[in-house]
Amino acid sequence: MIPESIHGQAKKYKKLFESFTVNPNHLTYQDKDFYAVFYRRFNTDTAFAIFSPQDNIQNEEHQVALEQIVILLNNWASIKNKGSLRNNIDMTAFYKTRHFLDNVLKSAVLSQAEEAAYTTCSITINKAIFLQSELNTLMEEYKRFVDMKEADGSKFTVKEIEYIQDILAELDYIQYNQLKSDYDTIDSFQDVKDSISQNEAVNKMAEPDHKKYIEEFARNKDKLKKDLESITYFDDQSTFTKTEHMKAVKNRFVEKQRKELETLKKDLRHPDI
């Protein structure tokens, strides 16, 4: 469905031994379409270009197209990496652990410290299940949007690119809260692990799978800390509401990509902007 004129323009700017690909996801702006073309030589990226099948494209229109297409393609890839992989996560460990924790809290005789640990872990597991449900719902909504756009020729407006930014920002909010909740309760899961080995009544209630899952939730504290730090962009981020988090992250992503545009322009073969 890519116009033949785009391939013609791409060939005109192709250098010796280069191949090129046209990304089907493109921008429509002021009734004009814009496509990104990527050049490669010997499996190495060499340049890219922004082309339109329409004539008389103004420099300002190319500027908008460049910025919006970069945002579109980067966000598209990020959603695939962040959302699609986690959308398929197996939640068996969470459901079985929740059942065990609830059963212990309901039936076992616990010390005050044990009860606090089991309660904290139960809250964390329930939060993880809720957030995963939110992620699954979000990705189902996004998949419907993607299917609709593919049927429409993979054409995106500026408003639709903003919607994709919203999806990525919400995914970031979910991922941040999942990681922070896991990290904050590792010590409590360690206390539960100790309780299973020390409390005879609890030990009898714990099946092999329960012990295995509890142990998994109680380890990798250093790795979780690094993962959490990698998506913590603001000092007071843990106090943000969902709306505040999404707004701050969107602004950060857009500002970061605008700064990177200046570096990208050195590889921009057409137009000269």
Side-chain angles (χ1 to χ4, degrees), residues 213-273:
Y213 296 143
I214 293 295
E215 184 174 351
E216 288 176 358
F217 289 130
R219 65 188 182 193
N220 295 326
K221 188 172 186 177
D222 289 342
K223 181 180 183 303
L224 273 178
K225 182 179 181 180
K226 289 180 181 179
D227 291 343
L228 183 60
E229 288 174 345
S230 71
I231 58 171
T232 301
Y233 315 117
F234 314 100
D235 292 338
D236 54 348
Q237 188 166 321
S238 63
T239 67
F240 287 4
T241 64
K242 180 177 181 179
T243 300
E244 290 170 340
H245 183 109
M246 290 178 60
K247 181 179 180 181
V249 166
K250 278 180 63 179
N251 290 339
R252 180 184 180 277
F253 285 171
V254 170
E255 184 60 29
K256 183 174 182 288
Q257 290 184 18
R258 281 176 177 164
K259 289 179 180 179
E260 290 175 349
L261 274 180
E262 296 308 313
T263 302
L264 284 174
K265 284 180 181 179
K266 66 181 175 58
D267 296 324
L268 183 62
R269 188 165 292 175
H270 173 80
D272 184 16
I273 58 176

Side-chain angles (χ1 to χ4, degrees), residues 102-201:
D102 290 347
N103 195 27
V104 170
L105 284 168
K106 179 181 178 181
S107 306
V109 177
L110 303 172
S111 68
Q112 187 175 1
E114 283 179 316
E115 184 174 358
Y118 280 93
T119 300
T120 298
C121 291
S122 178
I123 291 171
T124 294
I125 290 294
N126 278 296
K127 183 175 182 180
I129 291 172
F130 170 78
L131 288 171
Q132 186 62 35
S133 176
E134 291 281 288
L135 187 147
N136 292 343
T137 299
L138 183 67
M139 291 307 297
E140 288 170 6
E141 174 189 328
Y142 180 67
K143 185 179 184 304
R144 289 193 293 270
F145 170 75
V146 169
D147 290 344
M148 178 188 71
K149 295 314 299 177
E150 287 181 351
D152 191 37
S154 300
K155 180 184 298 187
F156 295 85
T157 64
V158 171
K159 186 175 181 180
E160 287 170 333
I161 293 173
E162 290 175 354
Y163 167 76
I164 293 173
Q165 290 177 278
D166 287 336
I167 295 290
L168 181 58
E170 188 167 353
L171 280 173
D172 189 275
Y173 169 81
I174 292 172
Q175 183 183 21
Y176 173 80
N177 280 276
Q178 285 175 325
L179 282 174
K180 188 171 191 313
S181 182
D182 291 346
Y183 176 75
D184 288 345
T185 51
I186 281 183
D187 292 340
S188 293
F189 275 108
Q190 181 61 51
D191 291 339
V192 168
K193 179 184 173 183
D194 294 340
S195 170
I196 293 174
S197 63
Q198 297 168 8
N199 188 319
E200 185 177 349

Side-chain angles (χ1 to χ4, degrees), residues 2-12 20-22 37 51:
I2 297 170
E4 184 58 36
S5 62
I6 297 297
H7 291 278
Q9 292 181 71
K11 289 176 183 177
K12 185 167 66 174
F20 67 84
T21 58
V22 184
V37 176
F51 294 114

